[in-house]
Amino acid sequence: MSTQVLSDTRVLTGRSLRHILRSPDTIITTAVTPIALMLLFVYVFGGAINTGSGESYVNYMLPGILLITIASGVAYTAYRLFLDMQGGIFDRFASMPIARSSVLWAHVLTSLAANMVSVALVIGVALMMGFRTSASLSAWLAVTGILVLFTLALTWVAVIAGLSAKTVDGASAFSYPLIFLPFISSAFVPTSSMPGPVAWFAENQPVTSIVDTIRAMFASESVGNGIWIALAWLVGILLISYAIAIAKYRRKIR
Amino acid sequence: MDTTPIFGPALQVRGIEKSFKDLHVLQGVDFDVQAGSIFALLGSNGAGKTTLVRILSTLLSPDAGIATVNGFDVATEPKDVRESISLTGQFAAVDEVLTGRENLVLIAKLRHLKHPGTIADELLARFSLTEAGNRKAGTYSGGMRRRLDISMSLIGNPPIIFLDEPTTGLDPQARLEVWQTIKDLANSGTTVLLTTQYLDEAETLADRIAILHKGVIIQNGTLKELKALLPAAEVEYVEKQPSLEDVFLTLVGEDAAAAPDENTDAATAVPAGKESR
């Protein structure tokens, strides 16, 4: 049974990866907006922002930019899933003797692959803009792990959106607040510069702990307790959105 | 995979009910489909045809009633049902980004068959799609897309095939192509459950026809039996005009022989029959 899940997931992932390879613009589009934001913040606003950390501004804001990249990239998963359901191929798969969960996992793994490519593109541009890190290999692996977790968590949110959407636009609308969240966090400016209630929100929402953790890892600093808060958020969102997505999917295909 | 029993029904539907909120779509549907036959479920839009097909292909659970497909209960043995069927839904369920051949290979792999490439090439040849095989399915015409769709359903030789409105939205030529495909299927022993809103389609293809109306089967029989229900159809003399379809097919040079004339008579006979009572 479990070998069937693996082989079906592999076949279906191959299918949706092909979709991405045939329209690589989705990966490029995903990377373009964050890169534009990065240029804007570093070369326009950055000079006026005092992060109080002494490091270059591109170093300061890259973690937030990476999260924005992923938050906008997962919208394509909702979009593709919605198109599958509309087009009837979803019903075809559901009426075939294949492992039930493989249809969703294929989309999730494809999202992971596509987002990691987008993230690599953004990091590449950041390096050209002067991003420097002293991170060791293990720190890089840890950063990758956090980004993978973040992608998985948001992709399962995207699966919920894709499964419940009534229109194409509705399928990807969920990602707008997710893209906006890093702006009200420590991603671009220190939370201490914000007025009381906003600062309170910024300090207690998931993005700040994740951004701070990644930033500390890039700077080879101690991550402190922040990493546990970040992991708790990531795993929590992942488990809850996974459970809701699977429940919705079960109801959809009975 | 189990072979279809030679005798006995391939499909048994008993008292199937399904409601969506206040809408009672199916209100106790009963019928049998003999193995190897073409069974047409005729009904207007919204009659519940698609709902019934979705129940039989394990995509929806019925509220009440029992349905068995190839001897397996759709409620308790959905996995065995899925092994026995293929669904060709109302909208061509092909992947438009993949080529025709890749679509076929995908389904063959998902059915865990050996040599998916060979299977794909055979089906492309059988459905006259070899030349188009390496083009994206999104570039196909409606008829080609339907042929690809149906050929995808044949992979793994499921004994029972559901075709939900296979010709809706097709031009007349494509329609004739699909009809030929369905006839060939039945000749090779596959059981076909077909839904349609076109009277001529049911008339041309089906061994038995059931009329689904307001959630129940109001008639079920062979074409002959159904025609016998209408009184005095022959005493009416109606000036028979060629249908626009006849004209169109003649003009574009297609063989119009398959287009039946009788339903023009039958349609006019209904009000006549009522009047004579």
Side-chain angles (χ1 to χ4, degrees), chain B residues 59-125:
Chain B
L59 299 178
L60 267 184
S61 329
D63 297 337
I66 296 175
T68 62
V69 174
N70 203 24
F72 302 112
D73 190 322
V74 291
T76 57
E77 301 160 295
K79 208 168 179 308
D80 295 307
V81 171
R82 284 180 211 127
E83 294 277 1
S84 312
I85 62 157
S86 249
L87 167 68
T88 302
Q90 212 172 82
F91 306 101
V94 304
D95 187 319
E96 301 197 345
V97 179
L98 301 186
T99 66
R101 190 172 186 277
E102 287 169 341
N103 267 292
L104 293 164
V105 169
L106 172 71
I107 300 297
K109 281 185 179 168
L110 288 175
R111 288 206 179 262
H112 311 284
L113 300 174
K114 295 198 174 79
H115 316 300
T118 319
I119 293 172
D121 290 332
E122 280 167 11
L123 282 165
L124 287 172

Side-chain angles (χ1 to χ4, degrees), chain A residues 26 30 67-81 107-108 111-112 114-115 118 147-148 150-159 161-162 171-172 174-176 178-179:
Chain A
T26 59
T30 303
L67 298 193
I68 288 179
T69 310
I70 293 168
S72 60
V74 296
Y76 283 107
T77 301
Y79 173 73
R80 292 203 178 90
L81 191 55
H107 277 289
V108 171
S111 164
L112 189 59
N115 278 298
S118 300
L147 292 177
V148 165
F150 187 74
T151 310
L152 289 176
L154 291 199
T155 301
W156 281 105
V157 175
V159 169
S172 47
F174 78 98
S175 68
Y176 300 137
L178 295 181
I179 295 169

Side-chain angles (χ1 to χ4, degrees), chain B residues 105-149:
Chain B
V105 169
L106 172 71
I107 300 297
K109 281 185 179 168
L110 288 175
R111 288 206 179 262
H112 311 284
L113 300 174
K114 295 198 174 79
H115 316 300
T118 319
I119 293 172
D121 290 332
E122 280 167 11
L123 282 165
L124 287 172
R126 181 168 156 197
F127 286 86
S128 324
L129 290 167
T130 304
E131 263 175 58
N134 289 322
R135 260 169 48 206
K136 283 187 188 179
T139 66
Y140 286 15
S141 70
M144 289 165 77
R145 202 179 287 213
R146 254 306 166 195
R147 292 209 306 270
L148 176 62
D149 194 18

Side-chain angles (χ1 to χ4, degrees), chain B residues 13-32:
Chain B
V13 179
R14 292 286 176 275
I16 289 290
E17 292 176 31
K18 182 71 187 177
S19 300
F20 297 102
K21 290 182 184 142
D22 292 339
L23 195 64
H24 305 299
V25 180
L26 300 176
Q27 307 177 13
V29 172
D30 303 277
F31 64 86
D32 285 353

Side-chain angles (χ1 to χ4, degrees), chain A residues 15 19 22 91-92 254, chain B residues 54 74 93 95 102 112 149:
Chain A
R15 163 191 177 246
H19 280 214
R22 299 220 170 131
D91 280 350
R92 182 188 285 284
R254 65 164 260 189
Chain B
R54 290 179 66 84
V74 291
D95 187 319
E102 287 169 341
H112 311 284
D149 194 18

Side-chain angles (χ1 to χ4, degrees), chain A residues 5-187:
Chain A
V5 177
L6 290 181
S7 89
D8 291 346
T9 305
R10 188 172 49 77
V11 172
L12 288 169
T13 307
R15 163 191 177 246
S16 39
L17 280 176
R18 245 189 204 132
H19 280 214
I20 291 191
L21 289 176
R22 299 220 170 131
S23 50
D25 51 306
T26 59
I27 289 181
I28 295 173
T29 316
T30 303
V32 160
T33 311
I35 288 171
L37 275 175
M38 194 156 64
L39 292 169
L40 187 71
F41 269 86
V42 169
Y43 294 124
V44 181
F45 303 143
I49 297 174
N50 179 12
T51 62
S53 65
E55 58 184 334
S56 77
Y57 190 60
V58 66
N59 281 9
Y60 184 85
M61 53 95 75
L62 182 64
I65 290 290
L66 295 180
L67 298 193
I68 288 179
T69 310
I70 293 168
S72 60
V74 296
Y76 283 107
T77 301
Y79 173 73
R80 292 203 178 90
L81 191 55
F82 180 78
L83 288 191
D84 271 6
M85 288 195 299
Q86 281 239 306
I89 201 145
F90 193 84
D91 280 350
R92 182 188 285 284
F93 292 151
S95 70
M96 285 175 63
I98 59 176
R100 313 302 272 161
S101 58
S102 58
V103 175
L104 294 187
W105 272 109
H107 277 289
V108 171
L109 294 178
T110 303
S111 164
L112 189 59
N115 278 298
M116 287 305 119
V117 174
S118 300
V119 161
L121 282 176
V122 173
I123 292 178
V125 174
L127 284 169
M128 287 190 274
M129 290 169 63
F131 166 69
R132 292 295 175 266
T133 169
S134 53
S136 61
L137 181 66
S138 57
W140 267 109
L141 287 177
V143 168
T144 308
I146 287 177
L147 292 177
V148 165
L149 260 182
F150 187 74
T151 310
L152 289 176
L154 291 199
T155 301
W156 281 105
V157 175
V159 169
I160 300 173
L163 287 173
S164 31
K166 301 270 189 288
T167 63
V168 176
D169 295 334
S172 47
F174 78 98
S175 68
Y176 300 137
L178 295 181
I179 295 169
F180 201 67
L181 222 43
F183 289 103
I184 317 168
S185 79
S186 64

